[in-house]
Amino acid sequence: MKKSKLLIESTYDFDLLGLVAPLKDYKMAWMINNCLGLELKKSADYTMEFTNQPTLIISQYLLEKDFGFIQLLRNKSYPLAGQARFLVPELKIMDYFLLFQDKADGLDLNMYIERLSKLRGVQNVVKLDITKLKSRDNLLTY
C-alpha cells in the first residue's frame, strides 16, 4: 500500500522578545502590565506531550486583542519527575518570551524593549529572529 505524507508549513506571523528576568511568572506579568499599560491575564497552562519524554507544562499569560494577541510564556517548564525542561531548549538563558501578534501594526517594539530594559529585575531584553530558532514550533500555542 502506498503511503502519503502530510506536510504542514507553519507561519510565524508574530514578533518575539526574549527576557532574562529571574522572577516569578505572576510578578513578571504584573511588571509588564504596569510598564507597558497592558492587561495580561493568567490563562490555562500550555501543555505539550511527547512520546518518549516527559510532558512540558508552561505558564502563560495572555491578552486578546481585536486583531491579534500578546502572550507571555515562561521558558522553563514546571518540573515533572524531577526534571525541568525548556520551551525553547537552545535559549535556556531566556526566562520568558513575549509574543506580539498584532495585525493592526500599531506596535513599537523598540519602545517596548527600551521600557522593559529599565524594569528592576529584568537583566536583558532581546528581539529574537524566529526563523533562526530550531524549536520555533513550540511557540505556536494558538
Side-chain angles (χ1 to χ4, degrees):
M1 186 171 163
K2 187 177 178 183
K3 292 184 180 179
S4 298
K5 283 188 176 180
L6 176 63
L7 298 176
I8 300 173
E9 188 165 328
S10 302
T11 58
Y12 306 96
D13 60 342
F14 54 85
D15 292 305
L16 181 66
L17 296 182
L19 292 95
V20 178
L23 302 168
K24 298 280 186 187
D25 54 351
Y26 61 86
K27 183 161 186 168
M28 187 75 241
W30 180 81
M31 290 173 71
I32 291 171
N33 284 342
N34 286 335
C35 176
L36 302 179
L38 301 177
E39 292 183 23
L40 291 169
K41 293 185 178 152
K42 176 79 171 142
S43 57
D45 291 336
Y46 174 55
T47 304
M48 291 179 68
E49 295 182 9
F50 300 95
T51 51
N52 297 327
Q53 297 175 3
T55 302
L56 188 67
I57 301 173
I58 299 294
S59 174
Q60 71 173 336
Y61 289 76
L62 187 66
L63 169 62
E64 303 246 355
K65 301 182 94 185
D66 291 336
F67 300 104
F69 64 90
I70 297 175
Q71 184 178 34
L72 176 68
L73 293 167
R74 186 174 178 187
N75 191 22
K76 191 174 183 179
S77 76
Y78 294 115
L80 291 175
Q83 288 183 322
R85 299 190 50 226
F86 293 88
L87 182 65
V88 182
E90 62 268 26
L91 292 175
K92 290 181 182 177
I93 193 162
M94 295 294 163
D95 294 306
Y96 294 95
F97 296 105
L98 198 54
L99 285 78
F100 296 93
Q101 187 211 28
D102 191 357
K103 297 190 191 294
D105 289 331
L107 188 65
D108 185 2
L109 275 183
N110 292 328
M111 187 231 0
Y112 281 7
I113 291 170
E114 186 180 318
R115 284 186 181 179
L116 290 170
S117 297
K118 293 177 183 175
L119 286 176
R120 187 177 185 154
V122 175
Q123 297 170 358
N124 198 3
V125 181
V126 180
K127 182 175 182 337
L128 300 170
D129 185 357
I130 300 159
T131 59
K132 294 183 180 175
L133 295 177
K134 190 169 110 181
S135 45
R136 63 184 165 262
D137 288 340
N138 293 355
L139 295 168
L140 297 175
T141 61
Y142 52 90

